[in-house]
Amino acid sequence: MIAQPTVHLYRSDTAQWVGQIALDQGFPTTSYVEWEGQTWAVLERRHQYFLRGGTYQLNRVALFVRPMDPPKDRVQFQNNWVIGDPTCRYNAHSELLRCVPNPEGPCEGCRFFELA
Protein backbone atom coordinates (compact mmCIF):
# COMPACT_ATOMS: atom_id res chain seq x y z
CA MET A 1 0.00 0.00 0.00
CA ILE A 2 1.27 3.46 -0.93
CA ALA A 3 1.43 6.03 1.86
CA GLN A 4 -0.61 9.22 1.40
CA PRO A 5 1.63 12.26 0.71
CA THR A 6 1.80 14.83 3.51
CA VAL A 7 2.21 18.60 3.59
CA HIS A 8 4.56 19.97 6.26
CA LEU A 9 4.50 23.64 7.27
CA TYR A 10 7.70 25.42 8.33
CA ARG A 11 8.24 29.05 9.32
CA SER A 12 10.15 30.77 6.53
CA ASP A 13 12.32 32.85 8.87
CA THR A 14 13.42 30.11 11.31
CA ALA A 15 12.62 26.83 9.47
CA GLN A 16 10.77 25.81 12.66
CA TRP A 17 8.14 23.13 12.10
CA VAL A 18 4.60 24.53 12.40
CA GLY A 19 2.38 21.56 11.60
CA GLN A 20 1.23 18.98 9.11
CA ILE A 21 -1.77 18.99 6.77
CA ALA A 22 -3.40 15.80 5.58
CA LEU A 23 -3.92 15.80 1.83
CA ASP A 24 -7.46 14.48 2.21
CA GLN A 25 -8.32 18.13 3.01
CA GLY A 26 -7.12 19.09 -0.47
CA PHE A 27 -3.72 20.15 -1.73
CA PRO A 28 -2.98 23.83 -0.95
CA THR A 29 -2.45 25.52 -4.32
CA THR A 30 -2.98 29.15 -3.34
CA SER A 31 -0.51 31.54 -1.74
CA TYR A 32 -2.30 31.25 1.60
CA VAL A 33 -3.04 28.25 3.78
CA GLU A 34 -5.25 27.99 6.86
CA TRP A 35 -3.79 26.13 9.84
CA GLU A 36 -5.42 25.93 13.27
CA GLY A 37 -7.39 29.15 12.82
CA GLN A 38 -4.48 31.22 11.50
CA THR A 39 -3.72 32.28 7.94
CA TRP A 40 -0.20 31.69 6.65
CA ALA A 41 1.34 33.13 3.46
CA VAL A 42 3.18 30.48 1.43
CA LEU A 43 6.57 31.84 0.37
CA GLU A 44 8.25 28.66 -0.90
CA ARG A 45 7.27 25.10 -1.83
CA ARG A 46 9.50 22.03 -1.95
CA HIS A 47 8.35 18.66 -3.29
CA GLN A 48 9.94 15.34 -2.38
CA TYR A 49 9.39 12.31 -4.61
CA PHE A 50 10.41 8.67 -4.44
CA LEU A 51 10.95 6.19 -7.24
CA ARG A 52 8.71 3.12 -7.18
CA GLY A 53 8.27 0.71 -10.05
CA GLY A 54 10.01 3.02 -12.50
CA THR A 55 7.78 6.04 -11.78
CA TYR A 56 8.17 8.95 -9.41
CA GLN A 57 5.49 9.42 -6.77
CA LEU A 58 4.94 12.43 -4.56
CA ASN A 59 6.00 11.66 -1.00
CA ARG A 60 6.00 14.97 0.84
CA VAL A 61 5.52 18.69 0.26
CA ALA A 62 7.23 21.28 2.46
CA LEU A 63 5.66 24.75 2.58
CA PHE A 64 7.70 27.59 4.03
CA VAL A 65 5.22 30.07 5.47
CA ARG A 66 4.82 33.20 7.56
CA PRO A 67 1.77 34.34 9.50
CA MET A 68 -0.25 36.87 7.54
CA ASP A 69 -3.82 37.93 7.00
CA PRO A 70 -4.92 37.92 3.36
CA PRO A 71 -5.34 41.45 1.96
CA LYS A 72 -8.88 42.83 2.22
CA ASP A 73 -8.86 43.93 -1.44
CA ARG A 74 -8.06 40.44 -2.78
CA VAL A 75 -10.35 39.60 -5.72
CA GLN A 76 -10.86 36.66 -8.08
CA PHE A 77 -9.59 37.43 -11.60
CA GLN A 78 -9.31 34.88 -14.44
CA ASN A 79 -9.47 31.91 -12.03
CA ASN A 80 -6.74 33.37 -9.77
CA TRP A 81 -6.67 35.57 -6.70
CA VAL A 82 -5.09 39.02 -7.18
CA ILE A 83 -4.55 41.99 -4.89
CA GLY A 84 -6.04 45.32 -5.89
CA ASP A 85 -7.75 46.35 -9.11
CA PRO A 86 -6.85 43.89 -11.90
CA THR A 87 -7.96 46.38 -14.58
CA CYS A 88 -5.03 48.70 -13.75
CA ARG A 89 -2.13 48.66 -16.19
CA TYR A 90 0.40 48.29 -13.36
CA ASN A 91 -1.37 45.54 -11.39
CA ALA A 92 0.94 42.53 -10.96
CA HIS A 93 -1.96 40.04 -11.18
CA SER A 94 -0.46 38.33 -8.16
CA GLU A 95 -1.77 37.17 -4.81
CA LEU A 96 1.39 38.43 -3.11
CA LEU A 97 2.22 41.71 -4.87
CA ARG A 98 -0.21 44.49 -5.83
CA CYS A 99 1.98 46.56 -8.17
CA VAL A 100 5.40 48.22 -8.33
CA PRO A 101 4.37 51.91 -8.14
CA ASN A 102 2.08 51.45 -5.10
CA PRO A 103 2.66 48.02 -3.50
CA GLU A 104 1.05 48.95 -0.18
CA GLY A 105 -2.11 50.29 -1.85
CA PRO A 106 -4.87 51.13 -1.87
CA CYS A 107 -5.75 51.27 -5.57
CA GLU A 108 -8.55 53.80 -5.01
CA GLY A 109 -7.15 57.28 -5.57
CA CYS A 110 -3.72 56.02 -6.66
CA ARG A 111 -1.99 58.57 -8.89
CA PHE A 112 -0.50 55.79 -11.03
CA PHE A 113 -3.85 54.12 -11.84
CA GLU A 114 -4.38 53.55 -15.59
CA LEU A 115 -6.81 51.21 -17.30
CA ALA A 116 -5.02 48.36 -19.05
Side-chain angles (χ1 to χ4, degrees), residues 5-47:
T6 57
V7 178
H8 294 257
L9 303 176
Y10 299 94
R11 288 189 65 101
S12 62
D13 53 350
T14 63
Q16 177 184 1
W17 190 75
V18 174
Q20 179 175 322
I21 299 173
L23 279 182
D24 60 354
Q25 299 172 6
F27 187 79
T29 58
T30 64
S31 297
Y32 296 95
V33 65
E34 295 289 327
W35 174 251
E36 293 187 344
Q38 186 167 2
T39 303
W40 298 81
V42 178
L43 302 179
E44 182 179 345
R45 298 170 190 269
R46 294 183 187 168
H47 300 85

Side-chain angles (χ1 to χ4, degrees), residues 42-106:
V42 178
L43 302 179
E44 182 179 345
R45 298 170 190 269
R46 294 183 187 168
H47 300 85
Q48 181 184 54
Y49 296 87
F50 64 89
L51 183 63
R52 180 184 296 260
T55 61
Y56 285 100
Q57 297 177 358
L58 182 63
N59 181 43
R60 183 175 74 119
V61 177
L63 299 180
F64 291 84
V65 297
R66 70 173 173 183
M68 173 185 259
D69 291 327
K72 296 188 185 344
D73 59 346
R74 184 175 75 151
V75 296
Q76 190 95 40
F77 179 71
Q78 296 179 348
N79 297 325
N80 293 312
W81 287 101
V82 300
I83 302 173
D85 188 343
T87 63
C88 179
R89 175 180 179 201
Y90 298 108
N91 189 283
H93 294 165
S94 165
E95 193 174 1
L96 298 174
L97 177 68
R98 180 185 325 274
C99 67
V100 173
N102 188 15
E104 298 298 318

